[in-house]
Amino acid sequence: MKKKLFWIAVGQFISACAYCQILNTNNLVATGLGGLAAVINRLTGADVQFLLVFMALPIFVWSFFSYNKKQIFYAGFSYFMFTFYVGIVNRYLPPLYTDPIAAAVSGGVVGGIAGGIIMKQRVANGPESIVALYLKEKKGISVGTYYMIINSVVIGSSIIYGDVTMIIYSLICTFVQSAVTDKLIMGFEKYYNVSIMSDQYLEITQFIRDELNRGATFIQAMDTTNVKKKILIQSVLSQQELIAIRDYVKSFQDDSFICASRSNSIIGRGFDVE
């Protein structure tokens, strides 16, 4: 638990830096309640920290009586740390003024790193997450659909005071942030589900095991060309390992066949899961 809280605190500090020093400084709109608070702040001058607390409080009160208490605790801690850091960062760290494209990309990268750190702890990271999880479990509304709707509303609302081009830059920032977060969670290595049909299945399997240090599975199959029983080899390999097995199978110079498809998530021994 202490480890989770530590990484949540680290992630929210990074998130507050992106929010205050990059996005708000360059008039870009963040997503979620943070973005809505920034819009209201620019319209009314109300304190951002006060707005964050004011908007989140009803959600936390509702969720306390309606949802998982453990998730509420982590979401509350995560949101508190973000709100706390917003005040610290605004006061002590210098703003990063730059052009809109640089702000959109850098804000997305920094925000994505923060999101990846927090989401790898597998906890709700704020009131928006609690609502998303509740709607998914109780109403069957996907988390992606929920975030698409709420973020479109928040970013779109900035047209009240801003240039349309700034909305576009904000959307670019959101896209970059999502991509970076996904990379941190899923990992940067590319893995492939590989199927190999060959009469040399014993040699190929030995190569996979001894040279690539990977496992393989035999599946009995049928070649419809000559109605002949064959062995289908299945394995999961990295990009470099796929190149190695491709070159090895090609060296037989026969009718061996390889099919590889990208895998988005590999969980288990021998693969990075954290």
Side-chain angles (χ1 to χ4, degrees):
M1 180 178 179
K2 290 182 180 180
K3 183 179 179 181
K4 281 183 182 288
L5 296 179
F6 170 78
W7 284 113
I8 289 172
V10 171
Q12 289 296 15
F13 175 75
I14 298 174
S15 181
C17 290
Y19 175 73
C20 298
Q21 309 312 105
I22 302 177
L23 301 186
N24 288 353
T25 296
N26 294 281
N27 294 320
L28 298 179
V29 181
T31 56
L33 293 184
L36 191 58
V39 171
I40 297 174
N41 166 262
R42 292 169 197 172
L43 288 174
T44 66
D47 181 73
V48 171
Q49 280 184 301
F50 168 78
L51 291 171
L52 289 171
V53 174
F54 178 77
M55 290 187 292
L57 190 59
I59 299 176
F60 280 118
V61 172
W62 160 80
S63 61
F64 181 81
F65 297 101
S66 306
Y67 199 60
N68 185 293
K69 301 298 188 294
K70 183 178 180 180
Q71 287 287 13
I72 294 172
F73 167 77
Y74 282 117
F77 175 79
S78 182
Y79 194 75
F80 168 80
M81 295 307 299
F82 175 76
T83 305
F84 171 75
Y85 285 139
V86 164
I88 299 297
V89 168
N90 271 332
R91 183 173 300 179
Y92 296 106
L93 295 184
L96 176 62
Y97 290 102
T98 184
D99 64 88
I101 285 291
V105 174
S106 60
V109 170
V110 177
I113 292 172
I117 291 173
I118 296 170
M119 291 186 69
K120 287 187 77 171
Q121 309 311 310
R122 296 184 290 274
V123 297
N125 63 349
E128 306 99 316
S129 297
I130 294 178
V131 176
L133 292 173
Y134 177 84
L135 291 176
K136 180 178 182 296
E137 293 181 8
K138 305 296 185 181
K139 305 297 182 181
I141 300 174
S142 71
V143 173
T145 299
Y146 164 78
Y147 276 118
M148 181 184 69
I149 293 173
I150 189 173
N151 291 335
S152 297
V153 171
V154 171
I155 293 177
S157 67
S158 63
I159 198 173
I160 297 174
Y161 67 87
D163 192 333
V164 174
T165 56
M166 298 311 294
I167 296 179
I168 297 174
Y169 290 131
S170 297
L171 292 173
I172 293 173
C173 179
T174 301
F175 174 80
V176 172
Q177 181 174 334
S178 299
V180 172
T181 297
D182 286 344
K183 283 295 183 182
L184 284 177
I185 294 174
M186 304 303 300
F188 290 89
E189 181 64 274
K190 295 180 180 180
Y191 291 106
Y192 295 83
N193 295 314
V194 181
S195 298
I196 306 170
M197 181 79 80
S198 176
D199 291 329
Q200 318 299 327
Y201 58 89
L202 292 178
E203 292 88 341
I204 294 172
T205 303
Q206 185 173 0
F207 180 85
I208 293 173
R209 184 178 61 248
D210 297 342
E211 300 298 326
L212 304 182
N213 195 29
R214 294 294 186 191
T217 301
F218 283 158
I219 299 175
Q220 186 169 323
M222 181 75 72
D223 186 345
T224 59
T225 302
N226 51 20
V227 195
K228 178 181 177 182
K229 288 185 178 180
K230 283 195 173 184
I231 295 296
L232 179 69
I233 307 167
Q234 286 196 333
S235 186
V236 178
L237 305 175
S238 69
Q239 190 169 29
Q240 292 300 316
E241 292 163 348
L242 175 60
I243 295 173
I245 193 66
R246 181 199 64 187
D247 293 342
Y248 180 73
V249 172
K250 285 175 67 176
S251 69
F252 292 119
Q253 296 184 342
D254 58 9
D255 60 352
S256 298
F257 179 80
I258 299 178
C259 177
S261 59
R262 177 75 184 277
S263 179
N264 292 321
S265 179
I266 304 296
I267 300 172
R269 186 179 64 182
F271 297 94
D272 296 329
V273 295
E274 293 296 335

